[in-house]
Amino acid sequence: MVSLNEKRSKVQYVVQNKTEWVDDDNKFGKRMLEKMGWKSGVGLGKNENGRTEHIDLKFKSNLKGVGFINGKYDSTWIAHSQSFDSLLQQLQQAHSPSASSSSSTIHNFHQTVQQTKTRLTSAYLPKDININDNKFGKRMLEKMGWKSGVGLGKNENGRTEHIDLKFKSNLKGVGFINGKYDSTWIAHSQSFDSLLQQLQQAHSPSASSSSSTIHNFHQTVQQTKTSYKKQSSGKDLSSRSNDELDCIFGWNKGNQLKIDQIKQDSSLDMTNEIISDNLYKTSEQSIEDYFKEKTKKKAQIQYEQSQSLNDQTIDSVDQNSSNEEINERVESKLEKNLKKRRNYSTVESIVDCDQSEMLPKKKKKSDQLNNDIEDPYKNCNLSELNGYQGESRINSFIKSKLMSAEDIAEKLPEKLTLGASGFTPAGYPKVIPRAYAQRIQNSKYPENFSINLYTGASTGDELDGVLARTGRLKLKIPYQSHPDLRKFINQGKLDFIDMHLSHVSRYIREGIFPPINVAIVEACDVTSDGRIYLTNSSGMSSTYLALAKDIYVELNEAHPLEMKGLHDIYLPELHTGRPINIDYVDDRIGTPYIRVNPERIKGIILTNKFDSSPGFKKPDDASFKIANHILDFILDEVEHGRIPKKLLPFQSGVGNVANAVLACIAKDNRFKSIEMYTEVIQDSIFDLIDSDKLRFASTTALTFSLEGQKRFFNQLTELKSKFILRPMEISNNPEVIRRMGLITMNTALEADIYGNVNSTHVLGSAMMNGIGGSGDFTRNAYVSIFMTPSIAKGGKISSFVPMVSHCDHNEHSVQIMVSEQGLADLRAKTPKQRAELIIEKCVHPMYKDQLRDYYKQAQRVSFGLHTPHDLQQALSWHVRLQQTGSMHPDCQQTKTKDTEQTAKQVDQTASTKK
Ligand SMILES: CC(=O)SCCNC(=O)CCNC(=O)[C@H](O)C(C)(C)COP(=O)(O)OP(=O)(O)OC[C@H]1O[C@@H](n2cnc3c(N)ncnc32)[C@H](O)[C@@H]1OP(=O)(O)O
């Protein structure tokens, strides 16, 4: 089981005595006193003999009364009772027969009584404003024309005396006057009493039954009867019509669904209750039986709750329980806890969202079909790609839904808007897409097909590659990294919308994108009540499953059933602005599965394949240098108190450099324990696990190499408590990122001298991968770091240029820039200071002079001098690269101006391994 919320401790704030005002001439208190003639060191007051020290602030941290000192008390609080006691004592002494009633004792007694009286009256009697001309009230009245002795108001006929203060020393209600009361309070009981009395008199044999008495009696009985009838008939609803009852209870009649549901639930209990045509039930039980049953039910619930508390962990569940039962119990507990924590909607609340609300699909022109359907596994060792051969998990529900991939492909529409699981080649469907591509290839009218493909991020060749190669892929969102996809995008044959990952779910739910008609997800288990347990990524699956009309599942047995519990599925409501309640990386707010209406699951196929993630290059020298600069910087920040000693959670982007940084942290003894709140976990996490430095990792995908996947599954039992997989909408949510205060590390393709970053476009026009989540994290980070080797392609490209050819992250969000040459802290710097820092710290020596020259020239010719640019030259480095194959004037190996040739080189450049 993954751990739940960390225990929080209360912090006690101690109020220090603020004494600095004594020495601080700017403090208001001191200035005010000095204006009134006070000098430091002398006492307060006219005679300078008042207190010389300020009043101490005392922090009261207990529940004792103010002034209470342990075992003692402040005697002023009980002065009255003391003097009363002594008064009594003196009285006793004075009147006791044995007492010597000397005149002095009696005198003392009278004196004490007099003093006590005076003290009490002077404390509580109203102050006479007439006797004191300084009183504010009197002065105010006089200003308004009032004179002593005359009445208030324009006509001077208002009250002439002030309002009396009355001291209330008893426990009687306000307004109570001894022996009197407001008779309306007891009118009923009085009339009842008198009724009884009259009855007795009327029927008593000795009574004289005069006609007037009988008349009175009848009248009273009649009155009482009427008022009782009125009262009781008001409460009796049995005679009311359903419409009246609807009005009384405020029931929304339109909500027939709920009524039906309640009827259904109640049908079990038909013996005791007759269910009327609407919600209102008439019970045949006596009140006594009703309460007996209620008490019994309450006791039963309490018993069950105490039982479930005892079952806190899976371990304690009865040995005979099946896996299914165990999971159900754990999940129902998680669900209960969640409901207890807050009443937010989960994914289930939008499961059956009304498809008609979505925007209509866009019409696309048909294209020529690319017939090249490759088998994604053709170069692979299949026995290696097949997963572990554990026991089969096929329950009767799965059996009832089993289909072949080809049959499913036949059922998919020709105009397909597919929401697929998967995020950076992890947890994506691997078989159905190929069968669909085959169907397109075999079709007489392939041009009838058109596919919009929505995923979490990039996926593997079995999905992105296969569908791209059909030539029928028309729209892809929101990220990609597949060479074939990239080729179509950069040839202008495929629409790709590069967007912040945190926006995707909302855009789809709100119908900004064409609506999804089919969802295909990879799962490790499916239950008969529609619970779908995902595999290596959470990505966008919850949104797609919630919205799709038809759902198909690839049940991948390569993933152990123990994967169940890794995910924490939660979809925030739209438009509510309610907080997403994640404060710490290991907080859980959702369910370990996505629940759908089982009827929407139209087919399931069985697979047994690992993700075909290409893995990463071993970190090179430059990556290690970058990593070390970053680590030195973080420790320096800790030393300056800007980052806490226990560090902040890390986000680390995709790519080789990002991978290297984590590998370096693992090796660096200065780092003890790391938390990750990120979207992709790569193989470098194993370095942190091996060095025992990983405390916890929250992510949306586990993007491991083949080796990494095998290792993770083998160690799942021990590793499960260190990981959570969240939907992309949560992992990338700006609110959570900002609240948690992350150190974010993302990679730039290029950056300019002012700190603007391009992560996506080669030469400003060719798409590399996409912005992915880098913008979500950078903009909301506590410390945002961008890293890049200072040169690419053996020096033909400088990663630092006069002006970026495309801007993904602007100078306002980028705080730290780092290359293997060094690190530039851009925080609180002007553009010109940033330019100087970046040139000196980050730029490769072979481009340093060239960039300095540009900056000097820019200052000479710039229109404005805040952010100097020479617009004629700002993109000249890119132009040179496009024309000659190198940004460096002395290093032009490709002397051709053939742009197609250059485009090919750029395309190779853009073939990043992710
Ligand atoms: C899914 C997610 O969103 S995860 C969260 C973070 N997401 C992102 O940061 C998305 C944007 N970032 C990325 O896609 C990647 O980090 C990249 C592409 C910027 C860098 O990836 P890495 O693998 O670290 O960089 P790497 O140094 O290997 O460069 C990749 C390729 O680009 C080339 N390249 C680097 N700089 C340039 C440049 N300025 N111009 C042209 N090509 C360049 C490299 O030579 C390399 O080519 P090669 O594979 O032929 O050797």
Side-chain angles (χ1 to χ4, degrees):
M1 272 295 294
V2 279
S3 63
L4 295 172
N5 289 2
E6 211 170 63
K7 208 176 169 187
R8 316 217 173 133
S9 56
K10 278 189 181 171
V11 178
Q12 186 175 306
Y13 293 97
V14 178
V15 182
Q16 301 288 358
N17 279 312
K18 306 258 185 240
T19 57
E20 64 272 20
W21 67 273
V22 179
D23 306 316
D24 189 345
D25 285 338
N26 290 326
K27 289 287 168 203
F28 172 75
K30 190 174 182 196
R31 280 189 284 125
M32 194 185 71
L33 280 172
E34 281 175 345
K35 269 197 186 148
M36 294 194 289
W38 172 84
K39 274 174 235 95
S40 179
V42 302
L44 287 177
K46 207 163 75 176
N47 306 327
E48 300 186 347
N49 56 357
R51 64 184 304 140
T52 50
E53 327 234 298
H54 44 75
I55 296 162
D56 278 354
L57 264 184
K58 271 177 207 144
F59 181 67
K60 183 178 165 303
S61 60
N62 57 25
L63 296 172
K64 308 267 166 38
V66 175
F68 176 90
I69 309 154
N70 218 8
K72 295 174 191 169
Y73 43 78
D74 180 350
S75 59
T76 53
W77 295 100
I78 49 163
H80 288 146
S81 91
Q82 264 181 343
S83 56
F84 187 68
D85 285 349
S86 79
L87 191 63
L88 275 181
Q89 225 173 344
Q90 288 178 35
L91 266 171
Q92 268 173 344
Q93 281 170 3
H95 295 276
S96 133
S98 62
S100 64
S101 61
S102 75
S103 65
S104 82
T105 312
I106 291 169
H107 173 76
N108 280 346
F109 165 66
H110 281 300
Q111 211 175 9
T112 312
V113 170
Q114 202 49 46
Q115 272 169 7
T116 311
K117 262 187 182 170
T118 322
R119 198 144 16 111
L120 276 168
T121 45
S122 66
Y124 300 113
L125 283 177
K127 308 266 187 278
D128 188 349
I129 55 169
N130 285 328
I131 58 172
N132 193 341
D133 283 341
N134 287 330
K135 286 290 166 202
F136 173 75
K138 188 177 182 194
R139 280 188 285 124
M140 195 184 70
L141 281 170
E142 281 174 344
K143 269 194 188 155
M144 294 193 289
W146 172 84
K147 277 177 229 91
S148 180
V150 300
L152 286 178
K154 204 165 72 173
N155 306 325
E156 299 185 345
N157 55 357
R159 65 183 302 141
T160 49
E161 325 237 295
H162 39 74
I163 297 161
D164 277 357
L165 264 183
K166 272 177 202 142
F167 180 66
K168 183 178 167 301
S169 60
N170 57 26
L171 295 173
K172 306 265 167 35
V174 176
F176 175 89
I177 308 154
N178 217 8
K180 293 177 192 170
Y181 41 80
D182 181 351
S183 59
T184 51
W185 295 102
I186 49 162
H188 284 143
S189 92
Q190 259 182 348
S191 61
F192 189 67
D193 285 349
S194 78
L195 187 67
L196 275 181
Q197 224 172 347
Q198 287 178 35
L199 266 172
Q200 267 172 346
Q201 280 169 4
H203 294 276
S204 134
S206 62
S208 63
S209 60
S210 79
S211 66
S212 82
T213 314
I214 291 171
H215 172 76
N216 281 347
F217 165 66
H218 281 301
Q219 208 177 12
T220 315
V221 168
Q222 201 51 45
Q223 271 169 7
T224 314
K225 257 188 187 171
T226 322
S227 83
Y228 177 76
K229 240 188 183 175
K230 260 189 191 170
Q231 226 181 29
S232 60
S233 67
K235 286 179 182 171
D236 178 15
L237 299 181
S238 59
S239 57
R240 303 286 175 186
S241 73
N242 288 340
D243 280 349
E244 284 171 330
L245 289 174
D246 283 344
C247 292
I248 293 165
F249 290 115
W251 178 252
N252 177 5
K253 261 183 97 181
N255 202 344
Q256 194 58 40
L257 195 75
K258 274 189 189 165
I259 298 176
D260 292 346
Q261 181 62 40
I262 289 175
K263 274 186 189 178
Q264 221 174 8
D265 294 349
S266 313
S267 62
L268 301 171
D269 225 5
M270 287 295 278
T271 44
N272 286 335
E273 287 164 353
I274 301 159
I275 297 170
S276 69
D277 271 349
N278 59 15
L279 258 187
Y280 316 112
K281 303 170 192 176
T282 316
S283 178
E284 287 189 334
Q285 277 178 308
S286 69
I287 291 178
E288 211 176 33
D289 289 346
Y290 170 78
F291 280 110
K292 253 188 206 168
E293 194 173 299
K294 211 173 164 183
T295 320
K296 216 169 119 187
K297 272 186 190 161
K298 210 173 159 187
Q300 175 73 16
I301 289 167
Q302 272 168 0
Y303 171 75
E304 277 166 15
Q305 274 172 352
S306 70
Q307 284 294 318
S308 86
L309 269 178
N310 293 336
D311 294 347
Q312 276 301 342
T313 60
I314 300 179
D315 301 343
S316 64
V317 176
D318 172 3
Q319 292 295 313
N320 298 324
S321 303
S322 68
N323 267 352
E324 189 103 329
E325 282 167 349
I326 293 168
N327 283 320
E328 264 168 35
R329 283 161 77 169
V330 171
E331 279 149 17
S332 80
K333 200 154 65 225
L334 277 170
E335 255 173 341
K336 261 188 218 157
N337 283 347
L338 180 69
K339 273 180 195 155
K340 251 190 246 162
R341 272 179 76 169
R342 67 189 68 80
N343 199 16
Y344 292 172
S345 79
T346 66
V347 63
E348 288 170 56
S349 61
I350 59 160
V351 153
D352 287 306
C353 142
D354 183 0
Q355 301 292 314
S356 62
E357 281 171 17
M358 299 291 189
L359 289 181
K361 283 174 276 177
K362 274 188 213 160
K363 269 202 164 176
K364 294 274 166 193
K365 278 185 278 164
S366 62
D367 253 356
Q368 270 300 306
L369 172 70
N370 178 345
N371 276 334
D372 181 22
I373 308 288
E374 270 178 32
D375 178 356
Y377 295 108
K378 84 177 172 206
N379 297 321
C380 301
N381 175 356
L382 272 183
S383 60
E384 249 213 328
L385 278 177
N386 279 340
Y388 98 126
Q389 305 295 325
E391 75 185 80
S392 172
R393 64 204 61 177
I394 305 165
N395 57 38
S396 56
F397 174 74
I398 295 172
K399 250 187 216 162
S400 72
K401 299 277 178 182
L402 277 182
M403 287 172 82
S404 72
E406 288 69 29
D407 287 346
I408 292 177
E410 282 303 323
K411 286 192 172 297
L412 299 182
E414 289 181 347
K415 307 281 180 244
L416 174 66
T417 297
L418 172 63
S421 65
F423 189 102
T424 56
Y428 55 95
K430 301 173 175 66
V431 177
I432 301 172
R434 186 159 181 269
Y436 188 65
Q438 199 68 55
R439 179 183 157 202
I440 297 175
Q441 191 186 18
N442 297 341
S443 166
K444 274 192 202 157
Y445 307 104
E447 64 278 7
N448 287 348
F449 288 82
S450 88
I451 310 165
N452 297 329
L453 176 59
Y454 306 170
T455 54
S458 51
T459 67
D461 185 65
E462 304 93 318
L463 177 60
D464 278 357
V466 158
L467 291 186
R469 289 192 292 272
T470 64
R472 305 310 308 160
L473 193 52
K474 296 296 157 194
L475 171 67
K476 170 76 170 88
I477 55 167
Y479 186 81
Q480 56 76 40
S481 64
H482 193 281
D484 289 344
L485 258 178
R486 186 182 297 130
K487 194 170 75 190
F488 284 115
I489 293 166
N490 289 328
Q491 285 174 353
K493 292 180 181 166
L494 164 56
D495 289 342
F496 171 62
I497 294 164
D498 185 25
M499 58 192 296
H500 293 306
L501 298 189
S502 65
H503 291 179
V504 183
S505 176
R506 190 169 69 78
Y507 279 22
I508 295 174
R509 287 164 73 181
E510 290 178 344
I512 293 169
F513 280 119
I516 292 163
N517 44 23
V518 174
I520 307 180
V521 296
E522 187 182 75
C524 71
D525 202 10
V526 183
T527 62
S528 55
D529 59 353
R531 273 172 283 172
I532 296 177
Y533 294 84
L534 299 168
T535 56
N536 281 342
S537 69
S538 197
M540 284 288 295
S541 303
S542 37
T543 300
Y544 298 153
L545 284 172
L547 299 181
K549 193 170 138 275
D550 296 336
I551 294 168
Y552 295 95
V553 179
E554 292 198 2
L555 190 74
N556 191 338
E557 293 189 284
H559 298 77
L561 270 176
E562 237 184 319
M563 292 288 289
K564 290 163 80 168
L566 268 180
H567 292 259
D568 184 51
I569 307 293
Y570 174 78
L571 269 190
E573 277 174 21
L574 292 174
H575 313 133
T576 60
R578 280 196 193 132
I580 297 167
N581 224 348
I582 297 175
D583 301 326
Y584 300 99
V585 291
D586 52 357
D587 276 353
R588 276 186 172 271
I589 56 170
T591 53
Y593 52 80
I594 300 165
R595 188 163 212 161
V596 298
N597 180 345
E599 279 171 22
R600 289 199 293 134
I601 302 178
K602 297 290 188 272
I604 299 177
I605 63 160
L606 299 179
T607 67
N608 194 308
K609 292 178 193 311
F610 285 113
D611 296 327
S612 59
S613 168
F616 294 91
K617 290 188 257 180
K618 279 239 168 282
D620 58 7
D621 198 35
S623 304
F624 279 126
K625 282 185 178 158
I626 291 174
N628 282 320
H629 290 314
I630 293 177
L631 301 196
D632 288 344
F633 163 77
I634 290 171
L635 290 170
D636 195 54
E637 287 294 285
V638 173
E639 213 155 273
H640 282 90
R642 290 190 283 263
I643 291 181
K645 276 195 179 130
K646 68 177 187 79
L647 296 178
L648 296 167
F650 285 92
Q651 175 264 343
S652 155
V654 287
N656 298 312
V657 186
N659 226 18
V661 176
L662 292 185
C664 279
I665 292 181
K667 287 195 190 114
D668 195 320
N669 287 334
R670 295 173 297 177
F671 290 84
K672 301 285 176 238
S673 175
I674 301 297
E675 286 182 343
M676 305 279 301
Y677 187 85
T678 189
E679 57 198 322
V680 189
I681 295 282
Q682 306 171 51
D683 280 18
S684 53
I685 203 82
F686 292 114
D687 295 323
L688 288 175
I689 291 168
D690 290 339
S691 58
D692 204 19
K693 287 187 180 162
L694 179 71
R695 198 199 72 73
F696 200 88
S698 166
T699 181
T700 193
L702 298 166
T703 311
F704 294 138
S705 65
L706 188 60
E707 286 314 309
Q709 290 172 71
K710 286 180 180 168
R711 177 174 169 184
F712 187 76
F713 295 154
N714 283 338
Q715 286 182 269
L716 197 49
T717 316
E718 67 184 270
L719 293 184
K720 208 169 162 185
S721 60
K722 287 183 180 288
F723 289 88
I724 282 183
L725 273 78
R726 304 184 191 277
M728 194 163 99
E729 203 178 350
I730 304 297
S731 65
N732 285 45
N733 196 290
E735 172 204 337
V736 181
I737 295 168
R738 180 66 62 113
R739 186 185 305 129
M740 242 183 293
L742 304 186
I743 301 170
T744 66
M745 303 178 293
N746 291 288
T747 314
L749 274 181
E750 62 177 11
D752 68 23
I753 50 173
Y754 298 116
N756 299 293
V757 164
N758 170 13
S759 290
T760 55
H761 285 71
V762 174
L763 292 179
S765 54
M767 173 55 63
M768 175 67 95
N769 295 341
I771 191 168
S774 54
D776 296 326
F777 284 96
T778 299
R779 180 70 193 96
N780 299 291
Y782 196 78
V783 182
S784 68
I785 302 173
F786 268 92
M787 49 207 182
T788 177
S790 63
I791 48 172
K793 299 289 175 205
K796 287 180 202 159
I797 296 173
S798 169
S799 306
F800 294 93
V801 289
M803 182 187 261
V804 282
S805 57
H806 174 93
C807 186
D808 293 296
H809 313 284
N810 64 41
E811 54 179 326
H812 310 289
S813 305
V814 178
Q815 298 175 1
I816 311 294
M817 184 63 71
V818 55
S819 77
E820 81 289 351
Q821 301 295 322
L823 181 143
D825 183 350
L826 308 178
R827 294 172 299 177
K829 303 282 189 307
T830 65
K832 283 189 274 192
Q833 288 167 335
R834 287 204 294 268
E836 278 155 24
L837 257 179
I838 288 175
I839 294 172
E840 292 319 311
K841 300 270 182 176
C842 303
V843 179
H844 193 278
M846 68 186 282
Y847 284 99
K848 222 170 221 175
D849 285 341
Q850 205 182 321
L851 209 47
R852 276 188 195 130
D853 288 346
Y854 169 81
Y855 181 54
K856 273 186 207 155
Q857 170 70 359
Q859 285 174 298
R860 275 195 293 272
V861 302
S862 184
F863 177 69
L865 284 179
H866 181 256
T867 309
H869 263 308
D870 175 357
L871 292 182
Q872 300 239 353
Q873 294 299 314
L875 293 173
S876 63
W877 294 31
H878 298 88
V879 177
R880 198 178 304 128
L881 172 67
Q882 193 172 343
Q883 290 177 346
T884 70
S886 173
M887 282 182 174
H888 204 282
D890 306 335
C891 179
Q892 295 169 23
Q893 283 161 16
T894 314
K895 295 285 178 195
T896 171
K897 289 197 174 181
D898 181 351
T899 38
E900 210 166 292
Q901 174 71 18
T902 315
K904 264 190 188 161
Q905 289 171 349
V906 167
D907 213 41
Q908 278 164 9
T909 297
S911 63
T912 178
K913 296 290 175 287
K914 278 236 24 60

